[in-house]
Each structure stands twice: as structure tokens, then as C-alpha cells.
Amino acid sequence: MWCGAECFKHQAARAGRMNQVDSIVNRAAPSIRTVIRVEGIVQGVGFRPFVYALASRLRLAGYVANDQRGVIIEIEGAPQAAAEFISRLQSDAPVLASIDRVSTSHIAAMGEREFKIVDSRLDGARETLIAPDTAVCADCLREIFDPSDRRYRYPFTNCTNCGPRFTIIRSTPYDRPFTTMAGFAMCAMCAREYHDPADRRFHAQPISCPGCGPRLRLIDGRNLHPFPGQGEGTDRLVRKETKDRAETKDHAGGPIEGTARLLAAGFIVAVKGLGGYHLAAAADKDAAVSALRSRKHREDKPFAVMTPDIAAARRLAFIDWAEERVLNSARRPIVLVRRRADAPIAAAVAPVNRFIGLMLPYTPLHHLLCDALGQPIVLTSGNVSDEPIAYRDDDAMERLGNIADFFLTHDRPIHIRTDDSVVRVLRGREMPIRRSRGYAPAPLAMPVSARRPILSCGAELKNTFCLARGRSAFVSHHIGDLENYRSLRAFTDGIEHFRRLFDLIPELAVHDLHPEYLSTKYVLALRGVESIAVQHHHAHIAACLADNGERGPAVGVAFDGLGYGDDSTMWGGEFLVADLRGFKRVAHFEQVPMPGGSAAIREPWRMALAYLNLLYEGEPPAELDVFKRNRGRWSAVAAAMRTKFNSPITSSAGRLFDAAAAIAGGRDQVNYEGQAAVEFEQMADLSERGAYHAGVTRSDPIRIIGADLIRALADDVRAGTYREIVAARFHNAMVQAIVTVCDIICGEHDVNTVALSGGVFQNAMLLERTARRLQTQGFRVLTHSRVPANDGGIAFGQAVIGAARDQAREDL
């Protein structure tokens, strides 16, 4: 639950301190009046009710209001009471609040006798911060399952401690008229709660109940897809659900119970959540999960699974205390955990994968659905692969009508689409893979101040954008891959929404060096905005530095699939000496061709060909399975590569992993980005300590001979070595190469800090072993914990580089 032991300790400590209040407020002293400005995440988190209660207890007069910068307070009373108020304003603040700054000034006392919450002030530039959506709290959850409570089984229950925020806000300040709840008039009972300072729903903007709030509907999809073997029984169930719908659609429990019956019968249901639609199927039904894969065009990429509680999650996976803490947090991300071999779920949930993405319910609707079904649910983004998640009802019906059999929807609009966040726990702390719901748009502190507003537009894949001002960076929710019109529209709409929310007009725009990225073209088309280009891997390292509150210099190890280099080749296996302003490329993997260009990303056998072609004259050894499988097209592709036709050169570590995976693991074609490398990592025997050896050429820049690793790997494969051993030796060799090169660079450049970034470092085996070895050698090692190591962190890195360069120019 969200409000666990830590929350109760916080409340108990606050209560203990409040016992001292009477001795403070009863001392006679001349009244003073103090103006207090509080900035940070202080709207929509119960901050004004907290201020009201604190001021009343301390017998202070005055008022509190939201405004465009946060919260403005005036207090009048005894000096000691005022000092106590200011102290407790920070120490006892609501759990969901995040205070960045408190400033005070004194004005003449006015002789007021009471404290009030007054209407929001809308004058001035908007600088308030918006809270992320937050999982349902323990108090609301108790009400939902209490038959005597008026919100019993009501799927939109919330209070000031939980519920929707970012996904429903249209503008600031965070008041009901500026949210998608504006169309729901409060009933008398909700209005009493909303206006009662002693109630935890005091000024809870999404407050509602079954009598006045949003309602669920369970409706037929546009197409029905009966599964093999269900036949007439399924038809009867569909007809029964259709017939019963008129009787149940207006009762909060009816649609949920109907959805549970449909899921249990093997149907796919589109479920409208906080930030968009999910596609749901019973996790134990292989036919249903397989059908979902087929309709969604998602052949192999694992599905996320929602379990009713942590006990149910433990039946599916091995979960340590750190993973449990993240699963139970108010952010409720999907957490990648090690799957149990006997997990009672369909094989199609996560094929060829030792891990599973688990999450716990985070809305009342999810809790009620899990309770009604009583078993884990596949809950994946409501989209066709490579498209953004559907969040508007009409769009969802159109795009998901050929996937979902039924729709569990409601009439509370979603203003901004937001996917689920995905994390894994490494080295005892979170490492984001996708930073979105529950995290965005909370600001990230930058180690350098932006002297003017900045927009950074990220990369092409796993896109996020970022707006920055002062020391705050507002990294967007996950947008996705900018490869189609819908994704581009989500990108541009998101930027406009953030600009309105934060009242920020960019004066500096930052983009990637790649001239063909849609994000680059967007920046270059802006008028009246200065633009700068930032090299992809420098942005990775800057993101890692800023993620740790540092400016550099550091040795940055940036390993990923591809990034446009400043020499117009494709980089991806880079060692940089970098700070936030600039970098020098001091080492990289030896460059090889990418036969077929982007086709080599989708078909790893092509990268195997590129490396094997360097090692062997003519055809490679006939006993290599990768050659046998692709013999018919090998010669033609090799000839094109030799003539340099559509074969750009690359130093990519990601493509080196692809080559190794194709030779050792048999993955010739991938169905999602990085699939070959993901499976290759999971193949590795963690107990193996052997390693291949890569030559290192001491030139400027230093070159690592990746072909040496492929030669040794191929020799092992030809000798019949188990592929689990081969995979482990390759990983260990990569670790050794990184440590060797870092040792050389740090000695030459007098730097002792190493920053590890780029999508390749989502590989847990590589990251953990590299960090451990580097630390053993005496290096400080920086890894990611607030933004992803993959391209989802690029926009943050671009923003801090833009701020640092802009500041440097001002200093000249």
C-alpha cells in the first residue's frame, strides 16, 4: 500500500511535535505578519489543507492560496508561533509534496483573527509544478472495499493524497475548473467534504462519488474474435453480456464484474486507465495472450502483468526487498524481476525471457478488477506496435477495435496520454527504462542553471522532450519512436501542452546532430528560437553526469545501437572525456560496415557477416550455423558490402552484440529493438568467469578490435562449447575491454570518474560487472537512477549541455 509504516511514522512524529504547540501559542507577544512563498510540487497534494490545519493549531490568522508559482501564504500572530509554522511547513509537509524553495518577508500586521483558504490567484507567469499521477492511498482503498462506505466499489475514489493529476490537468493552477473533472458538478456530500478543512478531501480537485462522478461502461467492440475451441459456449457468453449490459452499466460493480467474466472466458478487453487504454487478457490463458500478440503485431516482446498484491507477485517471480519497495511505491511502475520457472502464466506472456515485468494495481479500477478476477492480468499499452498509446475514446475505438473484443471505458476525459513507467533495480537502486506515469512531469534538478528557457527535443527512438528553466528540467512522459505521423503528433502536442503548463517559451532549442531525425527537423523549423546541435553520445554522458548532480569531467563510456557522430559516421561504442560543455572522443570500437544499413538492425546475421568477412577470406567456416542458415543470400550481401553499397560504417557496441548473438544464439531477425542482445544476455551462464580477449590499439583515438572477440566466440561455437558459456565469455570480455581502456584513458587524462550510459548498459550483467570491476580498480562509477540510460534520457542530457554552453557564452 502507498501509506505504509513510513507514512504512519511520519504522522506519529507530527502528532508528537504538535503536543508542544500550546506552550508556544499561549505566550503573549506582539503580532507580526509574514508573507511566505512556497515553490515546488505543492498543488494537488493536500498542501493548502495542511497549511490551514497547521495555522489553525498555532492560532495564526491569514490565508493560503494557489497561484501561478506555487502557494502563497500570509500568517499573522505571535513571532514564536510564526517561526514554528515556517519550520513545520517543511518538516511536516504532506508526503506527496516536494518543496524546492521557501521565501519569507514581513509586512505590517492587519489585525486579522482567522485563517482562510482563498481562491487561486491567476496573475503573473506560471511557474507552478505539477504533481505526477499517484497510486490510490490506503485510506481510499479501505473505503472502496467497505460495504458501509458510500464509495464502496467506486472506481474513481481519490483524495488529496492520491489519484490523477498530470493526466487530467489542462492548465494551472491545479484547480477543478482547469482539469477534465470540470464537467462533473459535485453533489452536496462531496461539496461538504471538499470545503471541510478537517476532511482529507479538502480541496481534492478530482473528488467525486457514485452520485456525481464519472461512470464505467462495458461495451461491445467493433469486431468479435472467437478463439479456437470456444465455439458455442463463447457465443452464449457474449449474448448474455450484451443482454445484461443495460441492467449493469450504471452500477459501479457491474461493468467490472462483467469484465472479469469476459477475461476469465478468454476475451481481450480494452481498459481505460489513468493515461490511456490498456489491452487486458487473463495471464494464464495462452490462447488469449497469443491472440493479443497476433492482433497487436507484437511477436515476441514481453507483456507486463498486473497482480492483485505482492503475495501474488511472488508466486510469479523472485522479488527482493528493493524490488518490493519499488513495486509498492506511490509511482507503481512496471518492475522487471526474475521470473519463476513454474510461474502459473501463459508461455506467450514473456517468451524466451527469464524476466517478467510486474506491476501492482494503482487505481481503484485496477484493484476492483484484480479482486473480481482473482488472478494476474496481462496489461499492455493500448496500441498497435510502434504507435502511441490510445487515450481518446473515439481514437481507441477506431485503433483498438480490431484488437479488443470489449471495451471497459468511462466518461472522465484523459487530457494527456501517459504510458506506464518501466524500471529495474540494479545495485540497490532504481534504473529507469521508461520514465513516464508516476514520474513525469516532476522536475529534475540540473547541476547548472539555464539562463534562459530551453527546449530539447531528444532522439528518434524512445523519444522524450525536455523543457528547462533555472535549475529545473521538466522531462516529458514517454513519447515513443518518432517514425510515424501519430508519434510525431504526440510529440508536438506534448511540447505545446508542457509550454502551456509551465508558461515557458523557449529561447534556445537543442537537437541531435542527425539531420534526418524528425526531432531535429522540428527544431530547425522553429522561428525566432536559437538552436544548437548536440552529439548523441555526449548527450548520453551529460545525462548520466546530471543524473548524479555532477558537471564532470569524467570518462564517459557510451554504448548503444547507433548515434550520428561528428565525423558523419555511425557511433555507438564510444569512450569520451567529457563535461557538460564539450567532449573529446578518446577511444572507440573498430569500425565495421553495416550491410544493408538499417536492415542490419532488424537482421543481426548481417552484422555477423560484417565481422566474419573481416576474419576470413571468402566464405566463413561452413560449420557455423549462422552461415548455413543464410548461405543463399550471403554472397550478394557480402559483395554489396565490399563495394560499400548501402553499408555505412559503425563503431556500435550494440551491433557487436548483435553479431555475437547471431553466431552463438541463432537470432537472425529481431521483432523489437535490441531483442538479440536481450536474449543473448539471458542466455549467459552467470557462474562462468572465462573471457575472450580484444586487442587494443594505442592510437589517437584508441581502438578496440571487436573482431578479436568474434573470432574467439566463433572458435568456441565451432568447438561445440555450450552457448551459455559462449555468451558469458563474451560479456566478460566486454567488461575487461571497458576496464582496460578506462585505465589507459584515466591515466592519460588524470580523471578518476567513469560514467556509464547508453542503451547497452540496460544489460544488467554488463552493467553490474563493469561497475564492480571499475570500483575494484579504484574508479568512481556513475550510473543512471533518475532518467533512462537509453535514448529516453537524451533530452535531459541535451538540456544540461545547452544550459552549460549558454552559461559559458555569457561568462565570456
Side-chain angles (χ1 to χ4, degrees), residues 1-2 136-146 151-153 157-159 162 200-201 308 332 361-368:
M1 300 302 167
W2 168 78
V136 60
C137 70
D139 290 328
C140 286
L141 202 55
R142 278 193 292 271
E143 292 172 345
I144 293 163
F145 288 103
D146 180 0
R151 290 186 174 86
Y152 176 57
R153 299 189 65 78
T157 301
N158 66 85
C159 69
C162 66
R200 80 175 195 281
R201 292 192 172 91
R332 285 293 202 275
Y362 54 87
T363 69
L365 172 59
H366 292 136
H367 279 281
L368 292 167

Side-chain angles (χ1 to χ4, degrees), residues 657-678:
F657 265 97
D658 283 351
I663 296 169
R667 171 61 67 178
D668 287 343
Q669 188 168 357
V670 299
N671 296 313
Y672 61 88
E673 189 203 3
Q675 180 181 6
V678 168

Side-chain angles (χ1 to χ4, degrees), residues 148-169:
S148 66
D149 193 276
R150 75 186 189 91
R151 290 186 174 86
Y152 176 57
R153 299 189 65 78
Y154 182 58
F156 304 97
T157 301
N158 66 85
C159 69
T160 54
N161 296 323
C162 66
R165 285 164 175 77
F166 174 57
T167 51
I168 66 169
I169 189 168

Side-chain angles (χ1 to χ4, degrees), residues 14-256:
R14 180 191 299 181
R17 288 191 296 272
M18 291 306 289
N19 290 334
Q20 306 168 17
V21 166
D22 289 341
S23 63
I24 294 172
V25 300
N26 287 331
R27 296 172 189 169
S31 290
I32 63 168
R33 191 173 184 91
T34 305
V35 180
I36 305 168
R37 170 161 294 287
V38 187
E39 298 176 53
I41 298 178
V42 289
Q43 292 189 15
V45 293
F47 199 83
R48 287 181 298 169
F50 154 69
V51 167
Y52 177 92
L54 179 61
S56 300
R57 185 68 185 267
L58 288 166
R59 301 179 190 175
L60 293 167
Y63 71 87
V64 59
N66 283 341
D67 71 0
Q68 303 288 45
R69 293 172 57 190
V71 167
I72 185 74
I73 307 166
E74 290 189 16
I75 54 171
E76 184 170 330
Q80 286 182 302
E84 183 73 6
F85 177 91
I86 293 169
S87 173
R88 293 184 180 180
L89 196 63
Q90 298 184 71
S91 64
D92 294 0
V95 175
L96 296 184
S98 176
I99 297 175
D100 291 340
R101 189 178 301 106
V102 176
S103 57
T104 62
S105 61
H106 295 289
I107 59 175
M110 300 171 62
E112 285 189 321
R113 298 297 181 187
E114 64 174 329
F115 194 90
K116 298 175 289 185
I117 294 179
V118 301
D119 291 340
S120 297
R121 298 178 172 183
L122 305 179
D123 55 311
R126 291 192 294 269
E127 296 183 16
T128 188
L129 303 182
I130 309 302
D133 300 299
T134 306
V136 60
C137 70
D139 290 328
C140 286
L141 202 55
R142 278 193 292 271
E143 292 172 345
I144 293 163
F145 288 103
D146 180 0
S148 66
D149 193 276
R150 75 186 189 91
R151 290 186 174 86
Y152 176 57
R153 299 189 65 78
Y154 182 58
F156 304 97
T157 301
N158 66 85
C159 69
T160 54
N161 296 323
C162 66
R165 285 164 175 77
F166 174 57
T167 51
I168 66 169
I169 189 168
R170 291 191 170 109
S171 184
T172 56
Y174 178 66
D175 289 337
R176 193 178 183 99
F178 300 109
T179 73
T180 61
M181 286 297 295
F184 296 91
M186 281 183 271
C187 66
M189 286 186 288
C190 284
R192 277 197 298 271
E193 293 171 329
Y194 182 85
H195 293 291
D196 180 2
D199 197 285
R200 80 175 195 281
R201 292 192 172 91
F202 184 45
H203 283 249
Q205 305 308 333
I207 186 174
S208 64
C209 73
C212 66
R215 293 188 177 187
L216 289 177
R217 289 186 303 149
L218 177 58
I219 62 177
D220 289 323
R222 294 185 177 183
N223 299 287
L224 294 176
H225 307 272
F227 300 130
Q230 292 183 323
E232 193 176 79
T234 298
D235 293 338
R236 283 200 300 268
L237 176 63
V238 173
R239 289 197 297 271
K240 182 177 187 299
E241 287 300 323
T242 304
K243 178 183 176 183
D244 290 352
R245 195 158 302 112
E247 303 169 14
T248 64
K249 68 179 180 182
D250 291 330
H251 183 271
I256 291 172

Side-chain angles (χ1 to χ4, degrees), residues 697-714:
T697 302
R698 298 288 291 268
S699 53
D700 186 15
I702 297 165
R703 289 183 297 116
I704 307 168
I705 313 304
D708 288 348
L709 303 183
I710 297 299
R711 184 193 297 276
L713 180 147

